[in-house]
Amino acid sequence: MNGPIVGIDLGTTNSLVAVAGWPNPTDPPRVLADNAGSALMPSVVRFDDGGAVVVGSPARSSGPAHTGRIVASVKRLMGRSLADAGPDLPFLPFEVVAGEGDTARVRLPGAGGRNVTPQEVSAHILRALKERASSALGVPVERAVVTVPAYFDDAQRQATRDAARLAGLDAVRLVAEPTAAALAYGLGTRPQGPQNIVVYDLGGGTFDVSILRITPGSGEAGSGKLAADAFEVLATHGDTRLGGDDFDHAVVTWIVARALDANPQLPPPDAQSIGRLKALAERAKVELSSSESSAIDVGASLGGAWGSVPALTLARADLDGLIAPLVDRTIASCRRALRDAQRQMNGEPISAVILVGGATRTPLVRERVGQVFGLAPYTAIDPDQAVALGAAVQASIIGGGAGTAQALLLDVVPLSLGIETANGAFAKIIVRNAPIPAAGHEMFSTQVDGQTSVKLHVLQGEREMVADCRSLGEFHLRGIPPMPAGIPQLRVDFAVDANGLLTVSALERRSGKRLSVQIVPHHGLSRDEVERIERESFANALSDMSRHRIADLLANSRLDLLWINRQLTRAGGLVSAPQRAAIERGAAALQAFIDLAAADGGGAGVDPDAFHAAKEALDRASVPLHEASIKQSLAGETGAGGAGTAGGAGGTGTAGR
Ligand code: ADP
Ligand code: MG
C-alpha cells in the first residue's frame, strides 16, 4: 500500500481530515476542504428513503421535513451501553433504544423507525471524509490515524476502530486528541527536556482540559532508530455537557427576553422558530469573536408573529456577561486538573497552553484561560483544525515521512485495566498512564478439584470496587487440565497495542497448555440472561424516554415562567385577585417541578405526567393574563389596527416529542 495515511478528527460537532508530507515528504500538514472550501464537516448524518445517506452541511441544514432521520453528536454514544449513556440521553437530538445486549442504538422514526448503530453513523462520516481526501489527493485513501478523546475507554476506542472498518478505512492508529494537538504545534518532535503542556478543548458540546507531560525519547536522531517521545496525560478534567452550544443557548434566552421587552404579547416560539433562534444566536456569537457588536434581525428571520420584533444589537460585553458563568466552570476544571497534576510535575512549570475547539475563539475564553495558567495561550493554529493537523503529523510519521522520522509517538493507557477478584474488588493488571504498547499479567488458580474452566471479569477504571469501574466483558479460560483445586497456575496476560486496544491470552503453566480465551459479549450469554438484559434495557429505555420528556418540559416550562412573570409585571393589574392568585399558585407548582428536575440532573424520579399536568394547569390559569396583556397592547397602539396580535390566547404550547 502506498497511498497516504490521512489524519482524521472525528468530532462530536465537526469532523476534519488532514494530510502531512504528501505528495512531498517535506510538505507541511494541511486540512482538506470540500468543494465549497470548507474544512469542517458537520458530524451530522441524514438517512433518506431508499438507503440514501446525506452527510455534513446538507444534513445539518435539513429542514423540518426531515425530522426523525437526522443524527448529530453520535460520538456521545460510541462504545457505550444504554445504561452508560443514560445521563446523556436527554441531551441527544435523537431517539435511543436498546440494541442487542445492552448496546445503545439510534432509532430513526422518520426513516421507517429503523435502528442504526452509532458505529454505522460514524462510519458514514468517516466514509465521507475518506472520499473527500481521495478526491482532493487524487489517489485512493485507505488508511487513517483517527483521534479519540483522552478519556475514551477500550470499548469507545474499539467502537471508533469498528466505525473506520465499516467505512473501508484501516485505522492504523488511534491517538488521543490532546496529544494530536500538541503534535500539531510540533511539541514533542524536538529534543528538549520534559515539558508540561495544557490542552484546553472547548468544542460544540463537550469540554476537556488535559495536562500532558512530554518526555523526549532516548533514541538518537539519524541513527536510524526511532526516538520515542512519551506523551503522558497527567490529569484530565472536563464536562461532557458543556460547550459552544451552551453559549448559543444563553444568547437565545437573551434574544427572547429582549423580544418580549419590545413586544410583550409575542406567542412562544414554536420548534421551527427555536431552531432559527439558535442559528441566529450562533451567528451572533461567532461574529462577536472578531467584532465588538452584532446585529440580530429576529423579525426578518422568524417572520409570522415574530416578524414585528425589531433588530437587536448584542455587544461583546453583553455576550461576555451571558457566558461568564459557563466559562467559569471550565476555569474551575482547569484549576482541578492543575492541582491533580501538580504532584507529578516535579515543580516544573507549565510551558505551553494550547487552545483546541471552535469555541476557544471566544475572546473571553482566551482571556480567562490565559489568566488561570499565567501564560498567553498558543493560538497560531486554527483551534478547530489543530487535532486533525496533529493526527496528520502522526500519520506521516507512521508512513515513514522523512524529516519527521526521529519522533515516534508513545501514547498511554488512559484508565487502568484489570480483573475482578474476590468480594467485588478490582485488581489492576495494567495501570493508568503506562506507555503503550503495554503488557501485564496476573496469576490465578482453580477453587474446585478437577475444575476445567474459570470465568474472569475484565474491567477498566480507577476505583477500588468493581461496581465503580467499567465492565469490558467476561472471559472464560477453558481447557484447564483437571487437577486438584489450587494447583493449576493460570497466567493471564493483558496486552494493550499501540492503539490502546486490549487483547487477553492465557496459559496454564504446569502443563504449558495455552488456554482459549473467549470473550463473552452480552449477546453471547445464555438465553435466560439475554432475556433478562433485554427486559432491563427495556425498562431503562422507558425511563430514558421519560427523561427525554422531562428535559423538554424543563426547557419549555422555564420559557413559560419567563413569559408569565413578564406579563404579570406588565399587565398583572388587569386580572382579578383570584385570577392572579391562581396564576401564582400554578407558577409556584411548576417551579417546584423545575427545581426538582434540575436538581436531579436529568430528572429521574420526576413523574413526567405530573410535571406535564402542572404545566398545563398553569397554561390554563394564565389565559386571562394573556388576554389582558393583548388588550393592553392593543389599547396602547392607538389606531395601529392591531394586525398580527391574534395568536397566543390559548396559553403556551405544550411539549412533546
Ligand atoms: P467538536 O470538537 O465538538 O466537534 P468544534 O471544535 O468544531 O466541536 O467546535 C464547535 C463549536 O465552536 C460550536 O459551538 C461553534 O459555534 C463554535 N465556534 C466556531 N467558530 C467560533 C467562533 N469564531 N467564535 C466562537 N465560537 C465558535
Ligand atoms: Mg473536537
Side-chain angles (χ1 to χ4, degrees):
M1 264 192 296
N2 44 25
I5 308 178
V6 295
I8 290 180
D9 171 6
L10 185 60
T12 309
T13 317
N14 293 299
S15 299
L16 298 94
V17 57
V19 72
W22 186 271
N24 299 308
T26 51
D27 288 347
R30 63 192 166 109
V31 296
L32 302 172
D34 64 8
N35 293 334
S38 170
L40 297 187
M41 178 180 288
S43 305
V44 182
V45 179
R46 189 180 82 212
F47 293 84
D48 285 351
D49 294 332
V53 174
V54 178
V55 181
S57 300
R60 185 183 169 177
S61 51
S62 302
H66 294 290
T67 309
R69 301 163 176 272
I70 298 167
V71 188
S73 301
V74 79
K75 188 173 178 179
R76 293 177 180 280
L77 278 191
M78 290 289 278
R80 303 178 76 200
S81 68
L82 202 59
D84 292 336
D88 276 332
L89 294 180
F91 303 90
L92 291 173
F94 50 82
E95 262 186 60
V96 180
V97 294
E100 220 164 288
D102 64 351
T103 55
R105 291 283 161 91
V106 177
R107 197 175 100 87
L108 301 165
R114 73 192 163 97
N115 297 344
V116 287
T117 60
Q119 290 89 327
E120 287 171 79
V121 178
S122 292
H124 287 299
I125 298 167
L126 290 168
R127 186 179 288 281
L129 292 169
K130 168 185 150 119
E131 279 163 12
R132 175 191 285 190
S134 300
S135 75
L137 301 175
V139 285
V141 169
E142 270 143 18
R143 294 178 295 165
V145 166
V146 182
T147 59
V148 290
Y151 53 79
F152 256 27
D153 64 24
D154 190 70
Q156 291 169 300
R157 285 170 198 245
Q158 284 284 6
T160 304
R161 212 175 155 70
D162 290 344
R165 186 168 314 142
L166 290 173
L169 270 176
D170 176 15
V172 294
R173 185 72 67 88
L174 301 176
V175 177
E177 289 164 9
T179 302
L183 276 176
Y185 274 100
L187 298 168
T189 56
R190 283 163 302 191
Q192 284 164 320
Q195 283 178 283
N196 298 313
I197 289 167
V198 174
V199 180
Y200 174 104
D201 184 348
L202 188 61
T206 60
F207 163 67
D208 53 89
V209 55
S210 310
I211 299 188
L212 299 184
R213 184 174 177 82
I214 306 179
T215 312
S218 52
E220 301 122 57
S223 68
K225 232 180 148 206
L226 297 178
D229 287 335
F231 284 65
E232 198 182 334
V233 181
L234 297 185
T236 156
H237 256 283
D239 187 333
T240 52
R241 271 182 248 130
L242 177 62
D245 295 347
D246 298 286
F247 294 5
D248 301 347
H249 218 255
V251 175
V252 168
T253 309
W254 179 90
I255 295 174
V256 169
R258 288 295 88 75
L260 279 172
D261 286 343
N263 183 359
Q265 77 276 22
L266 278 176
D270 56 19
Q272 196 177 336
S273 307
I274 288 177
R276 296 215 170 118
L277 284 169
K278 277 189 190 149
L280 282 175
E282 183 178 8
R283 200 180 309 148
K285 170 193 78 172
V286 167
E287 192 181 343
L288 288 174
S289 288
S290 53
S291 57
E292 287 298 324
S293 82
S294 171
I296 306 177
D297 198 346
V298 183
S301 159
L302 268 70
W306 283 66
S308 63
V309 175
L312 304 168
T313 304
L314 180 65
R316 165 93 57 85
D318 298 329
L319 177 69
D320 288 354
L322 294 172
I323 63 175
L326 300 166
V327 178
D328 284 348
R329 277 164 59 192
T330 71
I331 298 301
S333 280
C334 290
R335 292 213 172 87
R336 273 197 296 273
L338 202 51
R339 204 184 313 134
D340 290 356
Q342 215 89 57
R343 254 181 312 117
Q344 302 163 73
M345 282 167 48
N346 309 329
E348 289 155 20
I350 297 287
S351 58
V353 178
I354 297 176
L355 294 185
V356 178
T360 62
R361 289 221 189 75
T362 313
L364 182 68
V365 169
R366 297 193 163 183
E367 183 188 321
R368 299 294 311 278
V369 174
Q371 280 165 0
V372 72
F373 295 108
L375 270 183
Y378 284 178
T379 55
I381 297 179
D382 204 330
D384 38 35
Q385 298 185 358
V387 169
L389 291 170
V393 169
Q394 175 64 17
S396 77
I397 294 169
I398 292 172
T404 45
Q406 60 274 47
L408 177 71
L409 161 73
L410 223 61
D411 234 326
V412 299
V413 177
L415 294 165
S416 303
L417 288 156
I419 259 174
E420 174 170 356
T421 59
N423 304 323
F426 175 47
K428 293 174 183 170
I429 297 182
I430 297 180
V431 293
R432 176 180 144 81
N433 280 338
I436 53 179
H441 69 268
E442 183 74 66
M443 298 300 300
F444 294 90
S445 193
T446 52
Q447 293 181 323
V448 179
D449 288 342
Q451 188 176 341
T452 58
S453 88
V454 170
K455 189 169 91 174
L456 295 171
H457 184 192
V458 178
L459 300 122
Q460 185 162 30
E462 299 314 312
R463 305 278 296 273
E464 293 308 310
M465 299 305 290
V466 162
D468 300 318
C469 294
R470 172 126 163 75
S471 169
L472 294 179
E474 278 169 358
F475 296 82
H476 284 277
L477 296 184
R478 295 191 196 285
I480 302 169
M483 281 183 256
I487 296 300
Q489 294 181 345
L490 307 171
R491 176 181 156 136
V492 175
D493 278 283
F494 273 35
V496 174
D497 68 11
N499 300 301
L501 299 177
L502 173 69
T503 49
V504 178
S505 57
L507 177 76
E508 198 291 301
R509 293 226 310 205
R510 287 185 192 279
S511 61
K513 192 166 184 241
R514 288 240 147 250
L515 304 175
S516 65
V517 175
Q518 186 196 357
I519 307 173
V520 182
H522 290 281
H523 55 259
L525 300 173
S526 73
R527 179 176 296 270
D528 278 1
E529 281 172 303
V530 171
E531 280 174 8
R532 175 184 54 79
I533 290 167
E534 273 176 356
R535 266 197 315 278
E536 286 174 5
S537 321
F538 185 61
N540 276 336
L542 283 180
S543 74
D544 291 334
M545 259 155 61
S546 67
R547 280 174 183 248
H548 229 112
R549 239 183 107 200
I550 285 168
D552 276 348
L553 281 166
L554 193 58
N556 292 337
S557 302
R558 280 177 170 148
L559 282 179
D560 277 8
L561 286 181
L562 177 69
W563 249 267
I564 286 165
N565 287 330
R566 293 257 169 178
Q567 289 177 346
L568 271 184
T569 328
R570 192 181 143 273
L574 301 180
V575 293
S576 70
Q579 282 171 337
R580 188 183 177 111
I583 294 170
E584 284 170 355
R585 264 199 313 279
L590 188 60
Q591 185 65 50
F593 276 104
I594 291 176
D595 294 344
L596 194 61
D600 202 32
V606 179
D607 175 1
D609 290 331
F611 193 168
H612 189 235
K615 185 176 178 305
E616 298 261 271
L618 178 59
D619 286 348
R620 277 193 306 277
S622 48
V623 168
L625 180 66
H626 284 284
E627 284 170 356
S629 168
I630 290 168
K631 271 200 209 108
Q632 196 187 48
S633 308
L634 287 176
E637 291 171 29
T638 40
T645 51
T652 51
T654 52
R657 205 181 269 240

